[in-house]
Amino acid sequence: MGALLRHGNEAQKNEYLPRIANGELRLQAFGVTEPTSGTDTGALKTTAVLNGDRYIVNGQKIWTSRSEYSDLMLLLARTTPRDQVTRGIDGLSIFILDMNAAKAAGGLTIQPIRTMMNHSTTEVFFDNVEVPVANLIGEEGKGFRYI
């Protein structure tokens, strides 16, 4: 939640923070790790492509704890293709994803990963998930700095 607290705009803070604080919304999921990138965050392949007043998100995250129990996710996705940036960590943006809306629209799939210890970890798939431009935290392409 630190990214929202430190880098979210006033409208985002007013919309989400009181509802998180009173327990109405659960922000417990952080979508960063992907199966093909390992510890190289700059190699992320999940994309968020601007289309009018929405970003269209496609890709996959893994080892995303608490996503089955969260209403919101902080999602790191590539908004500038990797071959158009100097460093891999450039061109990444962070979004507030309304997981309930994405599931209801049929674009978000969550699959539990069974582990010996119960950390409620999952694999999350994004298939044309729409995220309003208003849910971009900070400046587009600078999301790595915010996490």
Side-chain angles (χ1 to χ4, degrees):
M1 188 165 40
L4 175 57
L5 286 169
R6 287 188 300 276
H7 304 287
N9 61 42
E10 288 308 307
Q12 292 167 339
K13 291 177 185 179
N14 291 334
E15 167 73 17
Y16 296 108
L17 293 179
R19 294 168 58 204
I20 293 168
N22 73 18
E24 182 183 337
L25 287 176
R26 295 166 296 174
L27 173 56
Q28 301 173 332
F30 189 38
V32 176
T33 307
E34 296 184 0
T36 60
S37 63
T39 59
D40 182 5
T41 305
L44 294 183
K45 294 181 180 174
T46 297
T47 59
V49 177
L50 185 60
N51 183 7
D53 65 347
R54 303 207 170 274
Y55 286 89
I56 307 300
V57 177
N58 285 287
Q60 173 183 3
K61 300 294 179 179
I62 195 164
W63 308 119
T64 308
S65 298
R66 306 289 306 160
S67 64
E68 290 178 290
Y69 309 104
S70 295
D71 299 303
L72 305 172
M73 172 189 284
L74 287 182
L75 172 67
L76 188 66
R78 182 159 294 288
T79 48
T80 305
R82 174 67 177 95
D83 62 357
Q84 294 179 20
V85 296
T86 305
R87 300 177 309 158
I89 59 172
D90 295 333
L92 298 173
S93 299
I94 194 161
F95 300 91
I96 303 166
L97 172 67
D98 181 333
M99 297 178 70
N100 296 323
K103 284 188 276 190
L108 184 69
T109 304
I110 300 171
Q111 294 181 347
I113 298 173
R114 302 292 174 220
T115 60
M116 288 183 69
M117 296 178 61
N118 183 9
H119 290 124
S120 300
T121 194
T122 64
E123 192 167 16
V124 183
F125 299 88
F126 307 89
D127 184 20
N128 293 318
V129 172
E130 294 186 6
V131 179
V133 169
N135 288 24
L136 171 68
I137 294 179
E139 211 175 315
E140 184 179 294
K142 297 186 178 180
F144 185 79
R145 298 176 189 170
Y146 304 147
I147 61 168

